[in-house]
Amino acid sequence: MTDQNAKQEWEVGLIGGPEKRDITQAPYNPHWAEIFASHRQVIATSIGRVARRIEHIGSTSVPGLAAKPIIDILLVVRDSGDEDVYLPALLACGYVLRVREPDFQEHRMLRTIEKDVHIHVFSDGSPEIDRYLVFRDWLRDHPSERDAYANLKQDLAKQDWDDMNAYADAKTGFIEAILKKARSIDA
C-alpha cells in the first residue's frame, strides 16, 4: 500500500465524533500563560526544529478575558499533512488526535486527555495562522472589544450546545467583524 492509500484510510473530521460538553466561562487566570509555557516546552522538546512557531492563541491568551479554561496552542510546521514528522512524537507525550481536516488547510487538532489543552497544527503559510494572531492581538490591544467578546461568549455559554464546534461557530460573525476592522486599519 502506498502512503497516499494509507492517508485515504485515515479517519477524518472529528475523530471519535461530536461530544456534548458544558461550556463554562471562567474569569481570566494569569496561570493560563504558565500552562501554555509548560506545554510549549513539551512540544518544542518533542518535535524540535519541526516546530516553526508555537503560539498561545484563543481566549486564554488575552489578559483580562474570561474564557473556557482550555489552553489553545497554534503549532506551525512545514506541512501539517505530513503527520509522520510530528504526530508520533506528540502522541508519545500524551496528546490525542481529535481533528484531522485535510480539506481545511490540512488542519490537525490534538488535545490532552483531560481536554484542557488544544494544539492546532497548520502548515507554514496557512491563512489561518494570521487569522488567529490578528484576532488575539486585536483583543489584547482593544479592551472594549475584548469585553464585548466576553459578553457574547457569556451569552452563548448559557445555551445548550450539542458540540463545542457549534458554540465556536456561533462566534464567527463577531470574529469576522474584528478581522475585517483590523485588516482595514493595516491596509
Side-chain angles (χ1 to χ4, degrees):
M1 176 174 11
T2 68
D3 287 342
Q4 186 62 28
N5 290 339
K7 285 184 180 183
Q8 290 173 355
E9 294 175 16
W10 285 346
E11 186 174 357
V12 297
L14 285 171
I15 310 298
E19 297 174 334
K20 180 146 177 74
R21 292 180 62 189
D22 291 332
I23 306 292
T24 57
Q25 298 292 314
Y28 177 74
N29 184 342
H31 184 60
W32 290 336
E34 297 168 17
I35 296 169
F36 161 73
S38 173
H39 284 274
R40 182 187 196 291
Q41 184 62 41
V42 169
I43 295 165
T45 300
S46 70
I47 64 172
R49 295 174 64 181
V50 169
R52 296 189 170 193
R53 190 170 193 172
I54 305 171
E55 295 275 350
H56 190 184
I57 58 170
S59 294
T60 62
S61 71
V62 179
L65 181 58
K68 295 182 312 296
I70 297 173
I71 308 302
D72 284 299
I73 299 172
L74 172 65
L75 170 60
V76 180
V77 298
R78 186 186 64 75
D79 177 4
S80 52
D82 187 3
E83 294 181 2
D84 291 341
V85 300
Y86 66 90
L87 188 58
L90 294 175
L91 295 175
C93 292
Y95 299 109
V96 176
L97 182 63
R98 173 68 176 138
V99 174
R100 179 184 285 121
E101 296 179 299
D103 294 335
F104 177 61
Q105 301 174 38
E106 291 289 354
H107 172 242
R108 305 298 190 266
M109 192 275 278
L110 296 94
R111 67 181 181 191
T112 55
I113 293 171
E114 299 82 13
K115 303 176 185 173
D116 61 350
V117 175
H118 293 175
I119 304 169
H120 298 273
V121 186
F122 285 98
S123 300
D124 203 7
S126 165
E128 284 302 302
I129 298 165
D130 183 59
R131 290 172 51 82
Y132 277 120
L133 299 177
V134 166
F135 186 69
R136 176 198 68 189
D137 293 347
W138 184 270
L139 292 182
R140 284 178 175 176
D141 294 340
H142 297 86
S144 64
E145 290 181 309
R146 176 200 66 207
D147 294 344
Y149 188 52
N151 291 335
L152 170 65
K153 293 190 315 163
Q154 193 68 7
D155 289 344
L156 292 174
K158 294 174 187 173
Q159 298 178 33
D160 187 34
W161 300 97
D162 290 333
D163 180 64
M164 280 186 62
N165 288 313
Y167 163 80
D169 289 345
K171 299 182 293 182
T172 300
F174 183 92
I175 293 168
E176 291 302 324
I178 293 295
L179 290 171
K180 183 177 180 181
K181 187 183 299 187
R183 290 185 176 127
S184 71
I185 289 174
D186 285 343

